[in-house]
Amino acid sequence: MKAYIYLENDVFLSARAFGYGGTFLGELVFNTSMSGYQEIISDPSYAGQFIVFSMPEIGIVGTNEDDNESKEVFASGIFVREFSPTFSNYRAKESLETYLKKHQKIGIYDIDTRFLVKLIRDSGNLRAIVSTEIASKEELKERLLASKKIDEINFVKEVSTKKPYKHEQGVWNGKTYDKPKKSQKKVAVIDYGVKKNILNELVDANLAVEVFPYDVKAQDLITLFKKGEIHGVFLSNGPGEPKILKDEIAEIKKLAEAKVPMLGICLGHQLLSNAFGYETYKMKFGQHGANHPVINLENKKVEITAQNHNYNVPEELCKIAFITHRNLFGDNVEGVRYKDYPIISVQHHPESSSGPHESKYIFKEFANLL
């Protein structure tokens, strides 16, 4: 299929499309990972975004059910330099094109992704409209300018579970899933767009896991905590601008005031900062990939981490929290431990799906905190 792309900086491009045809809106971000494209595409944190892969060829290993991070694909679509319609991997069940068609998402290829990465690097994340139906630059421009900005949309209510459920699956070890051990502590996960492998890692840290919708009331969790039916709360990753989630921030503040032990990752980390009155800010083009060096300030070790975020917490957070991790690409705050509360949080993704395994100890630290 022929595809036409209009960017908000008035760049108009043509390319070819695979997967599902139609017209799609989103924000362009680039990802520097060299592998794990299925885990990236199925990460709910990419809701409302087009993922530009810097890896030049995508599709070679196909797709399978085990590597999905969620049941749906919430990203607007993907951009790749070269798309491989054939695949070769012993675990693969279907092609990337079939996968995108099933989830009704578009793939763009035969386009200079290096040009797009440089454009995003220099201009920041750009709103875009992609279509296999509309070839007119002016019509695409009109539709894009009339659409809502990503910072104005609450994607969390779209990606979150609709009802509570228990998660008992452990970490995949290459052949089967490790059986969960007899759990000593129970954790309530607030689902803002949680990845499956985060839940797997919590189980692997010997925790009993129950997942709740994004709008669960703090008082209900506090009641469970006081009864000993849960021992802590996990605040998950998720998409979009954290500051517009006013209700969620207010509920987190109540949990903190009740001294409920908590771990936040990515969006959960950002929401905690906002709950304590330290507002997050949007980065120029964010950090997306599996090769970001982070220094653990407590043991001085450098960890290579997976990242996926456009927003970050401010330096002023050090007034109420110890900074435990810093990003060595930008020196931004990557992790904190709150001074007067049983709360830790990190910006990067220790579940390592996809990405290095060097930060998985965060889940054990949370289990020890409980």
Side-chain angles (χ1 to χ4, degrees), residues 351-364:
E351 78 283 355
S352 67
S353 182
S354 62
H357 297 179
E358 296 169 27
S359 299
K360 285 190 175 187
Y361 65 86
I362 296 291
F363 296 102
K364 291 182 179 178

Side-chain angles (χ1 to χ4, degrees), residues 47-321:
Q49 294 178 320
F50 291 109
I51 307 163
V52 180
F53 284 98
S54 62
M55 176 66 176
E57 186 168 4
I58 297 290
I60 305 167
V61 297
T63 62
N64 63 75
E65 287 300 317
D66 284 330
D67 290 344
N68 283 325
E69 289 296 334
S70 65
K71 293 180 179 179
E72 302 293 334
V73 172
F74 296 101
S76 298
I78 65 172
F79 284 67
V80 303
R81 176 67 186 91
E82 189 71 31
F83 158 63
S84 176
T86 58
F87 59 92
S88 178
N89 185 275
Y90 76 100
R91 295 177 60 233
K93 299 299 181 184
E94 60 187 13
S95 70
L96 176 58
E97 179 162 34
T98 301
Y99 180 81
L100 290 179
K101 283 181 178 178
K102 183 169 66 177
H103 292 284
Q104 299 185 6
K105 298 297 178 180
I106 194 169
I108 300 297
Y109 75 107
D110 198 15
I111 191 168
D112 188 349
T113 50
R114 178 170 291 189
F115 164 76
L116 290 175
V117 168
K118 288 181 177 180
L119 195 63
I120 297 166
R121 182 196 64 190
D122 295 340
S123 304
N125 293 336
L126 294 164
R127 295 165 66 206
I129 183 170
V130 175
S131 182
T132 58
E133 307 164 319
I134 303 168
S136 165
K137 175 183 175 180
E138 291 307 313
E139 186 176 347
L140 290 172
K141 179 178 180 179
E142 184 179 346
R143 286 206 185 191
L144 180 64
L145 295 179
S147 66
K148 274 189 174 184
K149 293 183 178 179
I150 192 170
D151 299 348
E152 302 169 341
I153 304 171
N154 183 347
F155 290 103
V156 164
K157 62 184 180 182
E158 297 178 22
V159 303
S160 178
T161 184
K162 300 299 184 282
K163 57 184 180 180
Y165 66 93
K166 292 183 178 179
H167 183 90
E168 298 180 338
Q169 178 176 289
V171 175
W172 189 69
N173 64 15
K175 295 181 179 178
T176 183
Y177 288 98
D178 291 338
K179 293 180 180 179
K181 310 174 187 74
K182 183 179 179 182
S183 296
Q184 304 299 313
K185 300 292 181 182
K186 299 177 182 178
V187 61
V189 172
I190 303 182
D191 178 12
Y192 303 120
V194 70
K195 293 173 65 179
K196 181 185 69 177
N197 271 293
I198 285 180
L199 301 178
N200 293 352
E201 290 290 345
L202 289 169
V203 170
D204 217 50
N206 205 24
L207 298 171
V209 174
E210 185 167 4
V211 184
F212 291 85
Y214 75 101
D215 57 355
V216 62
K217 297 302 178 187
Q219 189 54 55
D220 293 339
L221 297 180
I222 292 168
T223 299
L224 293 175
F225 176 67
K226 289 181 176 178
K227 289 181 177 179
E229 294 181 25
I230 64 169
H231 300 92
V233 171
F234 174 81
L235 308 175
S236 85
N237 64 294
E241 161 66 80
K243 286 190 292 189
I244 69 171
L245 304 175
K246 304 292 187 184
D247 293 339
E248 292 82 352
I249 290 169
E251 296 301 312
I252 291 170
K253 186 176 181 180
K254 294 175 187 176
L255 290 169
E257 290 171 347
K259 296 295 178 79
V260 177
M262 286 188 278
L263 166 63
I265 287 179
C266 203
L267 179 61
H269 167 73
Q270 298 159 10
L271 291 175
L272 276 164
S273 181
N274 282 294
F276 280 99
Y278 294 86
E279 290 193 351
T280 47
Y281 63 93
K282 188 167 186 178
M283 307 175 79
K284 185 177 179 181
F285 48 81
Q287 294 170 323
H288 312 270
N291 58 347
H292 289 252
V294 166
I295 186 167
N296 182 323
L297 297 174
E298 296 181 329
N299 61 21
K300 306 303 180 185
K301 290 184 178 180
V302 174
E303 305 160 17
I304 305 303
T305 68
Q307 307 258 346
N308 179 23
H309 62 104
N310 285 337
Y311 303 88
N312 213 10
V313 303
E315 286 292 328
E316 291 77 16
L317 192 57
C318 67
K319 294 176 182 178
I320 62 166

Side-chain angles (χ1 to χ4, degrees), residues 22-37:
T23 302
F24 301 83
L25 291 151
E27 181 182 64
L28 283 181
V29 299
F30 65 83
N31 188 294
T32 57
S33 296
M34 294 292 103
S35 63
Y37 60 76

